Structure formats: structure tokens, C-alpha cells
Amino acid sequence: MTQMADAAHDETQGREDENWYTDAVRKAELADYSPVKGCMVIRPYGYALWENIQRPLDKMIKDTGHQNAYFPMFIPESFLNKEKEHVEGFAPECAVVTHGGGKKLEEPLIVRPTSETIINHMFAKWVQSWRDLPLLINQWANVVRWEMRTRLFLRTTEFLWQEGHTAHATPEEAEEETLKMLEVYRQLSEDWLALPVLTGQKTENERFRGAVRTYCIEAMMRDGKALQAGTSHNLGQNFAKAFGIQFQSQAGPLEHAWQTSWGVSTRLVGAIVLGHGDEKGLILPPKVAPYQVVIVPIYKSDEEKATVLQACRELESRLKDKIRVHLDDRDNYTPGFKFNHWEVRGVPVRFNIGPKDVANKVIEVAIRHSGTKERGISQDGIETYVVELLKKVQKEMFQRALDFRAKNTHQIDSYDGFKKQLDDNNGFIEAHWCEDDDCELKIKEETKATIRVMPFNWKPTPGKCIRCGKDSQKKVVFARAY
Ligand SMILES: [Zn+2]
């Protein structure tokens, strides 16, 4: 195949994936385009999914000692200029407010792309002594980053997230905090979203601008591409020095605080869609699904309708304290239409109930992720059955994603093999890298693959850099990414 044909082929493939994703999101009514380019409207079903991610995460954030607070969305332009690397990283994507109340503002205001600057300005006022530390704050907010190419949930100009910001008395405490929150994100992703993640450190090139070290969780999507699902940054004293966060140490002298910041966003909704979905649409893990079970009544005559609906309502009321259950009693749609409607939306379990089922006191159970059915399930003890079934589905979805990742992770030692693997089938590639920034950038230019993560606890396995052949001590994980 010629190079041009290759490129054309890639483009088609890209478009197909993109269409599948956008169709899945829109058909499930998770989100819609807004009149402002690059922004999205999160529809009720999508927002319910986000709330089910927020709720456990908020609890985990509080359980690890943090408090929620809220800071303004407008940041004086001068604040952003205080940390050199930070401003270089973010200035190009900032939205700037120049007018307010019909007048030109004396100082333009930035719509926050992230809140390090304004939060650390306040921290400088609040932190005086070692007794004020650690300061552990989290904010749930929207942020704005002017994006040129956008995709619902994955990359939008405005998005929702949480951003943690902390200040500590020692570098050891800051590092401990950075890793603790990365572990919280790992648990959220694996235990709630059923998405296995690699954890580790980002390279210099991929580091958050203004941080000393960036750690991340990386998930594999069903098309073999990587998705960065969360980051945790050790900021060292960079922002403390820029914003004058100083405290009187226990020993006496004034010292700059040691800081962290960490965040996950509505991108996680996109991760669930891309990480579990199939040709029919979404497949939601039970723990975050807005509806865990949908009951679909099946009847023909009015007489059947009365008995079936009554049985369905009884079932719904028995289950509604235990799980998120919904009875689809719409009269103007056929059962077939309803089956499809809830499959597209990824509801993990569906109960189909017809007149014979009512007479026999049984249910037909349809399971979304496996496409299987369990017939003749007794209505007695359905509460226990369904709770156990949802646990099983959650576990199987995680295992399936884990198996998929294992199957699509490759050990590759030649650059030609590396390129071929990416063009054929994407996936994660474990390969040697010389730790040179330029070599990493060349690989990105030549293959569109980036180093997603330098995983924790990998044993040294000396070898040669995949591209330049220089000595390398360890492998890293490459992939094309969203
Ligand atoms: Zn190299």
C-alpha cells in the first residue's frame, strides 16, 4: 500500500470510530451539541451518570481528610503570569473577559482553565504557621479551555471536574498526598467504572505545566487507544514561591509550603462509553448506571395489561429501596422498541414480564454486557437475586476489560514492528525508551503515539531505545491516545 493510501485508510478508520462514539453518546441522550462551538449540553441521563461518579468520589475525597470549597471562576490576568511555566502552558487556551457592565475592565479577567493561581493566592493569606498545615481543599467546578478540535465529554471547551489543592509542611507529605489521591482515582476507576488502569508517572513532556512530577491513571478503550482518566501532580514549591505561601516552621524560620493538585473530569463519562460500549451502544457498569434495572411489561389485551402492569409495579416497589430500578410503563411504545431503547442506553439488566411470567411468578432477565438471558427466574427472593446479579455483572465487566487490555498489550523491540502494530490494531506497547525528550517527541511525530505512563514498580530490564537504539534501563508504555 502506498503512503497516501495508508493515510487515507487511517483517516477513514478514525472517522468511523469517531462516528460510533458520537452516535453512541447522542443516541443514549447523554449529551448534545450547544449553540456555542466546542461546548456541550449534558442531558439528564448523562448528568445522572456523572452524579453517580461524583458521589463515591466526593466521599473518598472527604474520607481522606479534604473539605470542599468554592472559588470564583474569574481570575485576574496578572495571577496567571506569576508562574512562568504555568502561563506558557495555559495562556493559549484561555478565554479572557475584557468588558463587564458595559465598560472596559481595568484588568482583563481569565475564565479559569484550572484554579491553582486563585486558590494559591488565598492559601497565601490562610497559611501562616505550621499549625495551619496541611491545608486540604477540593473544589467541584466548571473550567474553560479553548479547544480547537472538540468531542463530547472527551474534549470540550467547558467541562466539569473536581480539582484538589493542598499545602504541606514537608516534601515527603506532599509526595504522600500526590500518591494517595492517585490511589483514590485508581479505586474510582477500577471499583466503580469497571475500567482497569495503569498507574505511574508521566514523562517531562507530558507533565502538567508548573508541576515537579505528574502521576496518572491510563485506561485502554475498546479501539485499543489510551485515555488519560485522571492526574495527580506534585507541585513542589513552584506555586508557593510564585504566590508567597510561607509558614513559620516548627523549627522557627519561614519556609515555603509544599503543594499538590489533582483532578478528574466529565471525561470519565466518555471513558465509560469508549471503554465498555459495543455496536449496540452503551454498556454501563451497575455501580454508576442511572438505572441498574429496567422493567419492561409485555401485553396485548387490556386485561393482560392490567395484570402485567400490576405485577410490574409490585416488583418495582419491592426493589426500589435496594437498587435504582425503573418501570417503563409507556403505553405508546412496543416492547421491542423499549428493549432497544434501554440497550442503547446501556442499562445493565432488564426484566421482561408477560402474562405467562405473571401466572408462573417468574421473570425473564436480559443482561446487557453478555447479551445473555436468564429465563424463569423466581419472583420470590428477587431482591437477593438482583443484588447478587448486579455485583456479578460489575465484576465480569471489569474482568472483560482487564482481559481485553492484556490481549492488546504488546512487547515490541523494533521500530518497524512498533509502527505496524499501531497502524494495524493500536493497543498498548511496552517498549524501551532512552529517556531523551527529543526522541520521545520524534516518536510522537512519526507515529502519533505518546508515552502514556512510566508504570510504578517495573523491574529494570536493560535494552535499547525503540527508536534511536541508545541504552535504556526500563520499558515504558506507548499508545495513541484520546
Ligand atoms: Zn531514544
Side-chain angles (χ1 to χ4, degrees):
M1 216 191 271
T2 67
Q3 266 189 341
M4 259 175 77
D6 254 331
H9 172 76
D10 280 350
E11 230 176 78
T12 325
Q13 191 126 31
R15 264 206 304 275
E16 272 167 13
D17 292 347
E18 192 158 351
N19 283 345
W20 175 85
Y21 174 76
T22 305
D23 281 355
V25 166
R26 297 191 71 197
K27 280 184 187 154
E29 299 186 342
L30 294 178
D32 208 343
Y33 295 112
S34 88
V36 178
K37 192 174 167 285
C39 294
M40 71 171 164
V41 175
I42 305 177
R43 301 185 67 174
Y45 194 63
Y47 203 79
L49 181 54
W50 173 237
E51 284 181 317
N52 288 343
I53 298 169
Q54 268 190 310
R55 208 173 299 120
L57 178 58
D58 192 61
K59 183 174 186 309
M60 287 188 253
I61 288 171
K62 287 170 180 161
D63 286 349
T64 42
H66 307 84
Q67 290 180 303
N68 284 340
Y70 188 79
F71 296 82
M73 75 183 298
F74 298 123
I75 300 174
E77 195 179 38
S78 58
F79 280 26
L80 206 68
N81 296 324
K82 288 189 182 184
E83 216 287 337
K84 187 172 160 286
E85 234 192 48
H86 192 65
V87 67
E88 282 170 5
F90 281 101
E93 33 183 76
C94 280
V96 185
V97 180
T98 55
H99 289 73
K103 283 187 202 148
K104 190 165 188 286
L105 301 176
E106 276 180 33
E107 181 182 356
L109 299 172
I110 305 286
V111 181
R112 61 182 165 215
T114 176
S115 302
E116 273 77 7
T117 56
I118 191 149
I119 290 181
N120 288 323
H121 173 82
M122 299 311 295
F123 275 18
K125 292 185 177 183
W126 299 341
V127 174
Q128 306 296 332
S129 130
W130 61 272
R131 291 180 195 87
D132 301 324
L133 297 172
L135 188 50
L136 308 172
I137 297 289
N138 177 61
Q139 160 166 271
W140 289 98
N142 60 341
V143 287
V144 168
R145 296 177 188 175
W146 218 259
E147 298 282 359
M148 291 305 153
R149 284 198 66 220
T150 58
R151 220 189 263 191
L152 297 169
F153 290 110
L154 297 175
R155 197 173 293 280
T156 48
T157 292
E158 182 195 15
F159 59 89
L160 305 182
W161 76 346
Q162 60 69 219
E163 46 179 321
H165 297 271
T166 69
H168 307 263
T170 67
E172 293 78 15
E173 277 178 49
E175 181 69 3
E176 190 191 325
E177 166 78 8
T178 315
L179 295 174
K180 183 193 288 176
M181 298 323 288
L182 189 75
E183 172 59 15
V184 163
Y185 291 160
R186 186 197 64 76
Q187 282 176 21
L188 175 75
S189 185
E190 298 197 337
D191 299 350
W192 292 81
L193 315 187
L195 287 173
V197 288
L198 296 178
T199 57
Q201 197 178 333
K202 285 283 184 195
T203 63
E204 277 292 295
N205 280 324
E206 303 282 329
R207 181 174 51 83
F208 176 75
R209 297 303 150 201
V212 176
R213 277 186 294 283
T214 288
Y215 299 105
C216 64
I217 54 170
E218 292 281 327
M220 184 186 284
M221 303 294 98
R222 297 293 293 179
D223 58 3
K225 284 194 196 165
L227 185 134
Q228 177 177 296
T231 49
S232 184
H233 316 293
N234 185 329
L235 304 175
Q237 292 178 309
N238 290 346
F239 286 90
K241 284 181 178 161
F243 287 86
I245 307 174
Q246 282 185 300
F247 66 98
Q248 180 136 43
S249 64
Q250 241 172 319
L254 275 183
E255 287 177 21
H256 284 104
W258 300 84
Q259 295 193 273
T260 82
S261 69
W262 27 274
V264 298
S265 71
T266 35
R267 190 162 220 243
L268 290 177
V269 173
I272 293 173
V273 176
L274 281 165
H276 293 299
D278 66 7
E279 69 286 350
K280 286 183 183 167
L282 270 53
I283 301 179
L284 298 181
K287 283 173 93 169
V288 293
Y291 299 131
Q292 296 168 309
V293 174
V294 167
I295 305 172
V296 178
I298 303 164
Y299 51 80
K300 288 207 177 83
S301 67
D302 281 352
E303 204 185 332
E304 283 178 359
K305 178 182 168 184
T307 46
V308 169
L309 272 184
Q310 198 200 340
C312 289
R313 291 208 175 98
E314 276 173 28
L315 206 57
E316 184 196 23
S317 69
R318 275 168 65 190
L319 292 173
K320 72 179 178 200
D321 291 340
K322 297 183 177 61
I323 57 161
R324 293 185 290 275
V325 60
H326 173 70
L327 169 60
D328 187 351
D329 59 1
R330 291 177 294 176
D331 206 15
N332 43 348
Y333 294 98
T334 64
F337 178 92
K338 292 178 184 179
F339 295 167
N340 181 61
H341 180 94
W342 297 112
E343 270 173 3
V344 165
R345 283 160 182 76
V347 172
V349 172
R350 195 179 69 237
F351 287 177
N352 306 329
I353 301 178
K356 276 187 189 159
D357 302 311
V358 177
N360 297 327
K361 296 203 162 193
V362 294
I363 299 167
E364 182 186 79
V365 179
I367 301 165
R368 175 69 178 89
H369 80 287
S370 57
T372 55
K373 279 185 180 160
E374 293 187 4
R375 295 191 172 85
I377 300 298
S378 170
Q379 290 184 22
D380 297 331
I382 194 69
E383 293 93 337
T384 320
Y385 166 85
V386 77
V387 168
E388 289 307 312
L389 176 62
L390 292 171
K391 276 188 203 159
K392 189 174 147 233
V393 169
Q394 181 83 27
K395 218 171 130 186
E396 284 179 6
M397 284 184 66
F398 178 75
Q399 190 59 47
R400 179 158 86 168
L402 200 60
D403 294 344
F404 181 83
R405 186 180 74 185
K407 202 178 135 219
N408 290 283
T409 298
H410 311 278
Q411 309 282 331
I412 294 180
D413 292 322
S414 85
Y415 201 37
D416 283 343
F418 183 93
K419 289 181 197 162
K420 185 171 184 322
Q421 176 56 46
L422 288 167
D423 286 342
D424 288 352
N425 211 9
N426 281 313
F428 286 179
I429 298 176
E430 297 177 3
H432 277 286
W433 168 58
C434 60
E435 296 184 37
D436 180 80
D437 292 349
D438 287 336
C439 195
E440 181 188 7
L441 290 175
K442 291 247 165 56
I443 294 172
K444 185 179 179 179
E445 257 174 51
E446 289 161 9
T447 69
K448 298 198 202 88
T450 48
I451 298 174
R452 302 315 304 161
V453 62
M454 303 185 283
F456 292 133
N457 308 323
W458 272 16
K459 288 188 194 106
T461 51
K464 304 283 180 199
C465 174
I466 187 86
R467 185 182 161 276
C468 72
K470 283 191 198 133
D471 284 343
S472 149
Q473 293 312 308
K474 265 187 186 181
K475 287 188 171 182
V476 294
V477 178
F478 288 91
R480 287 184 183 152
Y482 279 95

